[in-house]
Amino acid sequence: MRIGQGYDLHRLEAGYPLILGGITVPHDKGMVGHSDADVLSHAITDALLGAVALGNIGLLFPDTDPAYKGADSLVLLKEAWRRVQSTGYTIVNIDSTIVAQQPKLNPYIDTIRLRLAETLEIAVEQISVKAKTNEKVGPEGREEAISVQAVVLLQESLPG
Ligand code: MG
């Protein structure tokens, strides 16, 4: 078994889309970043890479590389998982927490889980996505940013 942890934060500003786990959530602000700034996909990507000590998302897909400008983070997640998988592991489960004061995310959680499960080719029951506010304090609480923490458990693939 291997465990991995991932964290990410992106700034919230008017005029950008808010994309979480590949799903565009309607809101008057969105996430600023070099890629599509999908903070949830980024944290999960880092958790997967971390579980097998394969570095992090910024090493694999540098934000100085114009190829990743506006990149679909689900494509990056899929590619990172392909690399992790090739070291001989499968996913047991993923758990994640989105810290966002606004918007209310509960109506989107199941759609997000489905999209991530499809991307990683796992069952939706293997992926948990939770959302909470930050009690109006800190950058998330002041609606200046959204952050995500994620953990993943991998197990060695069975031979054959
Ligand atoms: Mg990021």
Side-chain angles (χ1 to χ4, degrees):
M1 298 272 207
R2 307 271 304 197
I3 190 167
Q5 177 266 346
Y7 167 80
D8 197 25
L9 176 149
H10 280 264
R11 267 188 302 120
L12 265 177
E13 269 182 34
Y16 291 86
L18 174 54
I19 300 170
L20 293 167
I23 302 299
T24 303
V25 176
H27 193 43
D28 59 350
K29 291 179 187 176
M31 313 294 285
V32 185
H34 183 73
S35 67
D36 63 4
D38 182 343
V39 63
L40 175 60
S41 295
H42 293 178
I44 292 172
T45 300
D46 265 1
L48 287 166
L49 292 169
V52 292
L54 265 184
N56 63 62
I57 190 169
L59 287 172
L60 249 63
F61 314 110
D63 65 5
T64 49
D65 188 335
Y68 303 120
K69 180 143 180 59
D72 177 347
S73 295
L74 288 185
V75 174
L76 309 186
L77 173 62
K78 205 175 175 69
E79 171 58 18
W81 171 228
R82 193 191 62 76
R83 296 194 195 193
V84 172
Q85 206 171 18
S86 73
T87 69
Y89 285 89
T90 59
I91 293 170
V92 177
N93 73 305
I94 295 171
D95 188 18
S96 60
T97 303
I98 305 169
V99 183
Q101 194 66 39
Q102 288 287 343
K104 292 283 169 254
L105 294 172
N106 281 341
Y108 305 97
I109 293 291
D110 283 341
T111 314
I112 292 171
R113 289 174 63 217
L114 211 58
R115 193 88 174 85
L116 290 169
E118 280 168 9
T119 302
L120 296 168
E121 296 176 350
I122 58 176
V124 72
E125 292 77 18
Q126 286 170 281
I127 178 148
S128 156
V129 176
K130 313 186 295 303
K132 62 188 286 131
T133 73
N134 217 36
E135 295 289 338
K136 297 187 177 170
V137 298
E140 297 95 330
R142 291 189 298 266
E143 298 177 51
E144 297 166 359
I146 290 178
S147 69
V148 175
Q149 300 180 39
V151 287
V152 56
L153 187 67
L154 304 182
Q155 69 181 0
E156 257 182 284
S157 312
L158 293 172

